[in-house]
């Protein structure tokens, strides 16, 4: 520590000198603090203070920092988990006082001491059993031999409520996600159903168990104070999102107002593989419809993208009859040739008589690449009286954005590639203004040379993903990467994007580009027609599957091309126009003389700023209401200005340029779903 400028010590005064210790290795360290003064006495003119420390030691981490049990029945305790971890290098000794204020309503499965090895954790189950209809609070105190944090306090809170016993059932004790491709998401809901016709059930808490593998999560996060009305059910969608192959396990824990079984668990199991059948969509959410009505059926397409024949032995529902139905499916057993596909429809009816959630799944059982497999299509919907579907969005709700440029490398594209790189500043300024965390990758369209690999093809590999921190600058590296050459001859924009985002490239050469929670934008740049062989439906469904079919706002495709009819020497690219229209992207002209303006126009959409919002259900058009930050926005103002329109072909609400919601705006679209 150096005091600069030198400090003056007044007679009788003192100076505090902060000294910090940050060991870089395990073991003992020694040092000296030297204090030099203007005192003429040589003994007092230079003072040496020995310093000692030891790198390593135990280090305590307690999660969460506070626990709110919320409302809890007087008849049935609720339970939550506090996880104590040793993130240090020596054994951690702990003592636990779960109720330091002696309220008598908080208890633990282990109030005694324990020793936690380095890297290990201890799950402490904390129970709350209220004795009156009032709020109770206390501190859970954990003392340890952590030298710099020997006392950790966790605030506990809960409130008692008087309820009759809850009679309930869980639709599945084990939720099996089957096989999910790595870097994809599997969703499978289960039901907690109130069997009583007269009294409510109270779920005081529902969360993932502390020791669950991190590949699992709950789609709606941790739940507290959830009432299930008589005869109704709560649908709980669990999510499995693996990044590496293997088998994973997790557990959902919930407390409910039943004195006989207040604490309950549902096990989660999933298998991750590098390649699977492509099932789109694999998550059908029917939203909320009126009791006694049926929703419009949804179509599922199963593609064999592999090189060997796949066998389907069975297609079956795992949910209660009369709610979900399978229609128009081929009769098993049957085979799917490489490159082949088949479809089936799924219907949903809300039978009533009470408002309720419904959850289920379609199980596809068969053989793929020599392995017995089960694939899951999750099903969820709700029925209500005078049902209103509410779809909610946040403009620029995700600060992370992954942008993939697919650039035509044919002989006519040299000038366009140069202009694209030189005007990168116009493209990136929107991201910088909004402080977005971006990843930008570039690949070319030529078959056999790049096949979806990000530039540069050789070293340095660190420059394949351009970020705000890229050196010497994001602009310079993008300019280099965008210069993909002009020796190609096949303009397979969509194939190149598909290859870039699938195994083995996405986990190998292109590793680090795609982030699970980021917006994904693809931008195709070409002056020729798009020549990939697969259908637009296939590519759109595939790209949507990366983010999940409940997250349509997290993907868009845009293009800089000849457009619908062509321009100048550029040919028409109707497939790219269709991709942009159906995904909420934009279409710009490759014949532009002002690339700066073109890239500026493109940037907002590419970075996740939306003017089109896709709806969950097919609406009764005259019932659509749009609210921005809770303020109603009419479709047309009294002055005649149009704010938004509904597009039946894409089932979306589209804002006109003067009315597009601003950054951070909350958009809520309410409507009555069709009753079929």
């Amino acid at each position: 520590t150096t005091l600069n400028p030198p400090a003056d010590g007044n007679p009788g005064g003192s100076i505090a000198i902060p000294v910090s210790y940050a060991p870089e290795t395990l073991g003992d360290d020694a040092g000296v603090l030297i204090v030099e003064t203007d005192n003429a006495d040589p003994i007092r003119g230079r003072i040496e203070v020995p310093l000692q420390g030891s790198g390593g030691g135990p280090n305590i981490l307690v999660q969460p920092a506070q626990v709110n049990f919320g409302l809890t029945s007087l008849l049935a305790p609720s339970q939550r988990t506090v996880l104590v971890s040793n993130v240090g290098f020596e054994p951690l000794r702990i003592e636990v006082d779960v109720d330091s204020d002696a309220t008598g309503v908080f208890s633990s499965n282990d109030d005694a001491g324990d020793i936690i090895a380095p890297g290990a954790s201890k799950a402490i189950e904390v129970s709350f059993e209220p004795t009156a209809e009032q709020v109770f609070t206390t501190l859970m105190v954990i003392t340890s031999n952590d030298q710099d944090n020997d006392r950790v306090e966790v605030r506990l809170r809960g409130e008692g409520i008087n309820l009759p016993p809850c009679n309930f059932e869980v639709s599945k004790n084990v939720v099996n996600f089957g096989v999910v491709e790595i870097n994809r998401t599997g969703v499978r809901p289960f039901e907690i159903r109130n069997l009583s016709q007269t009294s409510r059930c109270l779920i005081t808490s529902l969360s993932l168990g502390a020791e669950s593998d991190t590949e699992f999560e709950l789609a709606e996060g941790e739940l507290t104070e959830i009432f299930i009305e008589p005869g109704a059910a709560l649908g709980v969608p669990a999510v499995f999102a693996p990044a590496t192959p293997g088998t994973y396990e997790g557990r959902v824990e919930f407390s409910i107002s039943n004195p006989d079984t207040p604490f309950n668990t549902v096990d989660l199991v999933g298998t991750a593989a590098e390649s699977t059948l492509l099932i789109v969509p694999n998550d059908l959410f029917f939203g909320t419809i009126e009791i006694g009505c049926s929703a419009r059926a949804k179509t599922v397409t199963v593609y064999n993208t592999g090189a060997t024949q796949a066998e389907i032995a069975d297609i079956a529902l795992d949910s209660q009859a009369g709610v979900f139905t399978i229609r128009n499916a081929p009769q098993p057993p049957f085979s799917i040739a490489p490159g082949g596909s088949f479809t089936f429809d799924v219907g949903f009816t809300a039978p009533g008589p009470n408002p309720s959630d419904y959850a289920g799944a379609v199980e596809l059982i068969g053989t793929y690449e020599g392995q017995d497999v089960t694939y899951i299509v999750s099903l969820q919907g709700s029925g209500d009286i005078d049902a209103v579907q509410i779809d909610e969005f946040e403009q620029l709700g995700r600060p992370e954005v992954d942008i993939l440029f697919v650039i035509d490398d044919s002989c006519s594209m040299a000038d366009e590639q140069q202009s694209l790189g030189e005007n990168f500043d116009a493209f990136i300024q929107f991201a910088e203004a909004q402080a977005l965390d971006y990843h930008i990758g570039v690949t070319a369209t030529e078959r056999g040379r790049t096949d979806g690999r990000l530039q540069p093809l050789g070293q340095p590999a660190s420059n394949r993903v351009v970020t705000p921190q890229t050196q010497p600058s994001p602009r310079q590296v993008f300019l280099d990467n965008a210069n993909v050459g002009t020796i190609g001859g096949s303009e397979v924009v969509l194939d190149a994007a598909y290859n870039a985002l699938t195994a083995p490239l996405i986990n190998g050469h292109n590793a680090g580009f795609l982030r699970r929670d980021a917006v994904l934008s693809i931008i195709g740049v070409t002056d020729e027609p798009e020549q990939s062989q697969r259908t637009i439906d296939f590519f759109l469904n595939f790209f949507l599957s990366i983010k999940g079919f409940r997250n349509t706002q997290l993907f868009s495709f845009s293009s800089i091309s000849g457009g619908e009819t062509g321009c100048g020497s550029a040919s028409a690219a109707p497939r790219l126009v269709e991709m942009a229209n159906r995904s909420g992207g934009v279409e710009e002209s490759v014949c532009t003389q002002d690339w700066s303006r073109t890239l500026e126009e493109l940037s907002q959409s590419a970075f996740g700023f939306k003017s089109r919002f896709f709806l969950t259900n097919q609406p009764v058009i005259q019932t659509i209401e749009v609210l921005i930050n809770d303020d109603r926005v009419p479709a047309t103002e009294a002055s005649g200005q149009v704010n938004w329109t509904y597009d039946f072909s894409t089932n979306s609400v589209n804002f006109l340029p003067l009315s597009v919601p601003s950054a951070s705006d909350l958009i809520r679209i309410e409507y009555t779903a069709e009753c079929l």
Side-chain angles (χ1 to χ4, degrees), residues 284 286 294-299 325 327-328 345-348 676:
L284 300 184
F286 290 89
S294 296
R296 186 181 293 267
K298 296 179 182 288
T299 299
T325 54
R327 309 170 189 171
N328 305 321
D345 299 329
V346 179
F348 167 61
L676 302 179

Side-chain angles (χ1 to χ4, degrees), residues 475-491:
R475 178 186 181 278
Q476 181 58 52
V477 174
F478 180 80
L479 177 60
D480 294 340
N481 291 352
N483 185 19
V484 296
T486 56
I487 62 173
S490 55
E491 289 81 6

Side-chain angles (χ1 to χ4, degrees), residues 652-671:
S652 62
V653 167
N654 304 297
F655 286 88
L656 273 68
L658 295 178
S659 303
V660 175
S662 302
S664 301
D665 277 353
L666 299 177
I667 302 98
R668 190 167 80 247
I669 303 175
E670 302 179 354
Y671 54 92

Side-chain angles (χ1 to χ4, degrees), residues 4 25 38 43 64 96 161 175 205 213 259 294 300 304 341 363 374 388-389 433 440 470 493 499 542 586 608 639 652:
N4 188 20
T25 60
D38 59 1
I43 297 178
V96 179
I161 183 174
V175 174
S205 65
D213 289 330
S294 296
V300 177
N304 182 359
S341 65
E363 296 183 346
T374 298
V388 175
Q389 173 67 37
I440 298 177
T470 293
V493 174
N499 292 335
F542 167 74
V586 298
S639 63
S652 62

Side-chain angles (χ1 to χ4, degrees), residues 548-562:
F549 287 85
R550 299 196 192 196
N551 301 310
T552 55
Q553 298 306 122
L554 299 186
F555 168 72
S556 68
F557 180 95
S558 299
S559 73
I560 304 176
S561 71

Side-chain angles (χ1 to χ4, degrees), residues 28 64 134 233-234 238 348 410 491 509 623 665:
D28 296 333
Q134 66 179 66
L234 173 69
F348 167 61
S410 61
E491 289 81 6
H509 183 91
T623 68
D665 277 353

Side-chain angles (χ1 to χ4, degrees), residues 584-661:
V586 298
E587 168 67 26
E588 295 288 338
S589 173
V590 75
C591 299
T592 181
Q593 298 300 309
D594 186 356
W595 277 82
S596 176
R597 185 206 62 79
T598 292
L599 292 175
E600 184 177 351
E601 292 286 337
L602 179 64
S603 64
Q604 293 192 18
S605 174
F607 284 106
F609 193 87
K610 302 295 185 183
S611 61
R612 173 175 294 180
F613 297 88
F614 297 95
L615 305 184
T616 299
N617 257 326
Q618 203 75 36
V620 177
I621 296 175
Q622 61 268 29
T623 68
I624 298 175
E625 289 196 2
V626 175
L627 298 93
I628 298 179
N629 301 324
D630 293 327
D631 293 327
R632 184 178 178 277
V633 179
T636 304
E637 302 282 358
S639 63
Q641 175 185 315
V642 178
N643 292 318
W644 56 266
T645 61
Y646 170 73
D647 180 48
F648 181 86
S649 64
T650 57
N651 193 30
S652 62
V653 167
N654 304 297
F655 286 88
L656 273 68
L658 295 178
S659 303
V660 175

Side-chain angles (χ1 to χ4, degrees), residues 312-316 329-334 365:
I312 301 297
D314 195 18
I315 304 174
Q331 183 64 41
F334 59 90
I365 302 170

